[in-house]
Amino acid sequence: MDDSSFVTAFAPASIGNLGVGFDMLGLAIAGAGDRVSARKTSKAGVSIREVRGLDGEIHPTLSSKADENTASIAAKSLWDKSGDDSGLELIVHKGVPLQSGMGSSAASAVAAAVAVNALLDEPLPREALLEHALAGEQFASGGLHADNVAPSLIGGLVLCPQVLLPKMISLPVPTGVSSVLVHPELQVNTADSRNRLAKGYSMHQWLTQQGYLAGFIAACNQNDIELLAECLRDEIIEPQRAESVPCFPAVKESAMKAGALGCSLSGSGPSIFALCLDNKAANIAVMMEQACRKMGYECQSWVSPLDAAGARVED
Ligand code: HSE
């Protein structure tokens, strides 16, 4: 068999947890994502030719060993299941900063699964790629949670509790609301951050957080922005993680003062997101960035509609 040409897929970054739904609610964002190119090769096995960073250079830290990269782990999971006995070669283009709380490992895993799927004689439906992308994500984060993989795969706002997997439930997004995501130049290792979380919670905490999550989902279904603002809260996880992001309190305060509906850590941080009315988003992004820089952290921000597209094959 001749080595075939590359197929490239793009997968967007995402906001895990979305504040109110630890491990089970996630939102795709527009404007940042990873690309993975894949081709069949005559040499059996999955390999990575190279991993390149945002600057186009070979990535200084990410492994290109096939068993150490979320892209190749996801690709291998799908390829093994397909029964194709040719090999696979990947090129990974990282567009999402590492350990940023922006679903970086999920974006690589999803882009790989979508690119490899396009090489199959009979490509699988999008939903069937979840388990393969999750195989990659699980390697990176040390836990089984789909709140980054699911929105990156299918776009928009997705409810994906572990107990219901592989179900991914797309939620309607409230009209006129945007997300703002600010990434301070810090890194938080998700697996470490998860390991540090308390293992037990009180009945009061459980009831409170369940109430907010239920209210948030109802708010989305009923397009009720007031209820959404009331419920966009994390009483359990955010307080435990806030100290690993020293600029978080100031950035959150600046977002809320500027009129955000709610603000919390994106995934395990350090990125911080706010939801807000569309017409306030640009100003809230500026205020959050200013607060971040005032605390001594360089940063970057993205403003995104809540119905941002999921992964796609590119021409
Ligand atoms: N739900 C995961 C966590 C997301 O908060 O640990 C990681 O980005």
Side-chain angles (χ1 to χ4, degrees):
M1 187 200 77
D2 288 337
D3 289 355
S4 63
S5 52
F6 281 102
V7 170
T8 299
F10 171 86
S14 54
I15 298 172
N17 305 328
L18 204 63
V20 58
F22 178 66
D23 272 4
M24 60 183 83
L25 202 58
L27 181 71
I29 68 160
D34 285 358
R35 281 186 172 79
V36 173
S37 304
R39 67 170 184 163
K40 287 191 192 187
T41 59
S42 44
K43 185 169 167 258
V46 177
S47 63
I48 298 181
R49 185 200 282 190
E50 58 194 24
V51 181
R52 292 198 176 264
L54 275 169
D55 53 6
E57 299 297 320
I58 295 295
H59 201 285
T61 53
L62 258 186
S63 174
S64 58
K65 288 188 185 150
D67 57 354
E68 292 180 357
N69 190 295
T70 65
S72 40
I73 292 170
K76 185 173 185 318
S77 168
L78 176 55
W79 202 239
D80 286 352
K81 198 166 180 178
S82 77
D84 194 315
D85 51 14
S86 48
L88 267 185
E89 185 181 44
L90 308 179
I91 300 175
V92 180
H93 307 266
K94 286 302 295 178
V96 185
L98 295 192
Q99 304 194 337
S100 58
M102 294 171 60
S104 175
S105 50
S108 288
V110 168
V114 171
V116 171
N117 193 43
L119 295 176
L120 299 181
D121 293 336
E122 290 181 34
L124 301 177
R126 188 52 70 95
E127 291 69 25
L129 300 182
L130 179 74
E131 65 170 282
H132 305 294
L134 271 178
E137 169 75 326
Q138 207 171 354
F139 168 78
S141 87
L144 181 64
H145 57 90
D147 53 324
N148 290 113
V149 163
S152 183
L153 192 58
I154 63 174
L157 174 61
V158 186
L159 178 68
C160 48
Q162 189 186 337
V163 285
L164 298 183
L165 292 176
K167 276 201 179 78
M168 297 180 277
I169 302 162
S170 287
L171 296 178
V173 291
T175 318
V177 178
S178 295
S179 70
V180 178
L181 184 65
V182 174
H183 170 233
E185 280 192 355
L186 280 166
Q187 290 194 324
V188 171
N189 180 288
T190 299
D192 293 346
S193 173
R194 295 176 72 81
N195 283 335
R196 283 197 298 271
L197 292 174
K199 302 291 176 269
Y201 303 97
S202 71
M203 178 65 89
H204 173 74
Q205 287 175 306
W206 186 74
L207 283 172
T208 305
Q209 200 58 41
Q210 275 220 116
Y212 287 140
L213 180 58
F216 184 88
I217 294 167
C220 291
N221 279 310
Q222 295 168 9
N223 201 14
D224 183 339
I225 290 175
E226 216 172 290
L227 180 62
L228 182 137
E230 197 179 335
C231 294
L232 183 48
R233 289 166 204 276
D234 174 6
E235 299 284 321
I236 298 182
I237 307 297
E238 181 188 300
Q240 298 181 62
R241 284 176 162 171
E243 69 177 21
S244 63
V245 186
C247 54
F248 175 64
V251 174
K252 180 170 178 170
E253 192 187 339
S254 71
M256 297 311 289
K257 265 195 185 154
L261 302 168
C263 175
S264 188
L265 291 170
S266 175
S268 55
S271 292
I272 301 162
F273 81 93
L275 297 190
C276 60
L277 296 180
D278 292 343
N279 61 6
K280 295 193 173 172
N283 181 50
I284 287 177
V286 170
M287 292 300 146
M288 291 170 76
E289 281 201 25
Q290 277 179 3
C292 196
R293 293 203 175 94
K294 215 167 155 188
M295 292 294 293
Y297 297 98
E298 199 35 66
C299 58
Q300 197 183 350
S301 72
W302 293 263
V303 172
S304 178
L306 299 191
D307 59 356
R312 58 240 177 221
V313 173
E314 297 181 321
D315 291 336

